[in-house]
Amino acid sequence: MPSPFQAQAQGDMSDHLGASPMSMIPILDLIRRVPLFAQLSPEMAEAVASRVTKRRFRQGEVVVSQGQPSEGLFILLNGRVRVLTTDERGKEVILAVLKAGAFVGEMSLIDRQPASATVRAELQTDTLLLDRAEFERSLPGADSLSYTIMRGLVRRLRLADQRIEMMALLSVHGRVEQTLRDMAEESGGDLVITRRVNRQDVAKIVGASREMVSRVMRDLEDSGAIVTRPDGSVLLHARPAAQGG
């Protein structure tokens, strides 16, 4: 069943949304159909409509690039995009497949960090773009409570993306080592877990049995990757986490 956007956009469109049905729909009407903007006041909806532009992406074209700042906030009007992350070996993990009404690019805009994932069009996809400068003008003050909460939510989402990537790309050995590194803090130039490591908790994080975690930690100790001190703290030597299998 076509989306509310697709129902208004049947037929082919030119590269610049030339004389197609989509191009003839006023941007304000498109804004009002986007769930993200459903609660906006008429005045705010008009303000957003005056700031966005239409952008088309062909099948396979990249909307947002992992490791690069997002150009702006993209709201999908039709089509479909794939959100994926790639490790240093080129292995990909699909985080989500998004359709009309979804939006991408917001995390990089809010925390001003590079995008944590690539967004690629699976089909020809038309979007509304609120560029970076206009998005930032629409934000509350940087010292406001709401903006502080937004940045906190983005940090949480980035950690969730990293966890999904870790679970998909690393072996159990690699997941345990990466989890230990995430638990560690820098102290005197070393990475140290200052509290005793609860292996059952680590097992729940990495999706393995406690026995498997204990076996991996013994392997890490035997190889010199970690050193368990008499007080229960753990010293981690600087080296990349184990490769996935």
Side-chain angles (χ1 to χ4, degrees):
M1 181 176 179
S3 72
F5 310 108
Q6 292 166 321
Q8 296 291 328
Q10 298 299 322
D12 294 329
M13 292 183 283
S14 69
D15 286 346
H16 299 289
L17 298 165
S20 66
M22 180 68 75
S23 69
M24 293 185 287
I25 300 174
I27 287 181
L28 180 58
D29 288 347
L30 293 174
I31 288 290
R32 286 171 173 155
R33 295 171 187 165
V34 175
L36 175 64
F37 300 132
Q39 302 303 315
L40 293 181
S41 67
E43 295 77 14
M44 183 59 71
E46 289 180 4
V48 171
S50 69
R51 297 171 183 172
V52 299
T53 56
K54 295 176 182 177
R55 177 75 67 85
R56 163 173 289 176
F57 293 91
R58 297 184 178 89
Q59 182 179 13
E61 193 171 356
V62 171
V63 181
V64 177
S65 296
Q66 181 178 342
Q68 299 296 322
S70 175
E71 181 182 349
L73 175 71
F74 295 90
I75 301 102
L76 277 59
L77 298 176
N78 55 29
R80 186 170 68 237
V81 300
R82 177 176 295 190
V83 184
L84 54 92
T85 182
T86 308
D87 71 3
E88 64 277 3
R89 294 165 291 160
K91 288 189 175 181
E92 292 184 349
V93 176
I94 298 174
L95 301 176
V97 176
L98 304 176
K99 299 180 180 180
F103 54 93
V104 297
E106 78 287 352
M107 290 168 57
S108 176
L109 298 176
I110 291 170
D111 67 4
R112 297 183 174 89
Q113 298 298 313
S116 61
T118 289
V119 180
R120 181 179 298 131
E122 284 194 339
L123 305 172
Q124 179 172 283
T125 300
D126 293 296
T127 70
L128 293 178
L129 168 62
L130 182 64
D131 70 26
R132 178 175 289 272
E134 293 292 352
F135 183 88
E136 291 181 349
R137 275 194 282 272
S138 303
L139 289 174
D143 58 350
S144 67
L145 176 61
S146 58
Y147 191 44
T148 299
I149 292 173
M150 288 168 63
R151 288 196 299 265
L153 290 172
V154 167
R155 281 196 297 273
R156 190 176 298 174
L157 287 170
R158 287 186 182 276
L159 288 173
D161 287 349
Q162 291 169 10
R163 181 62 50 80
I164 294 170
E165 181 180 358
M166 179 183 74
M167 295 294 287
L169 296 177
L170 294 179
S171 64
V172 174
H173 191 288
R175 298 202 298 270
V176 170
E177 186 170 356
Q178 186 60 54
T179 298
L180 294 176
R181 293 185 179 280
D182 290 343
M183 295 168 62
E185 299 174 359
E186 196 165 331
S187 175
D190 294 321
L191 283 176
V192 179
I193 303 174
T194 56
R195 63 189 184 281
R196 188 177 298 276
V197 175
N198 185 315
R199 299 187 180 192
Q200 185 63 47
D201 287 348
V202 174
K204 292 177 180 178
I205 291 171
V206 304
S209 67
R210 185 184 187 282
E211 292 73 20
M212 175 61 76
V213 170
S214 295
R215 190 178 311 138
V216 170
M217 290 188 67
R218 283 197 299 272
D219 290 344
L220 293 172
E221 288 175 337
D222 291 343
S223 68
I226 67 173
V227 176
T228 302
R229 294 166 166 173
D231 63 358
S233 63
V234 177
L235 171 68
L236 291 86
H237 293 299
R239 76 172 198 178
Q243 303 263 315

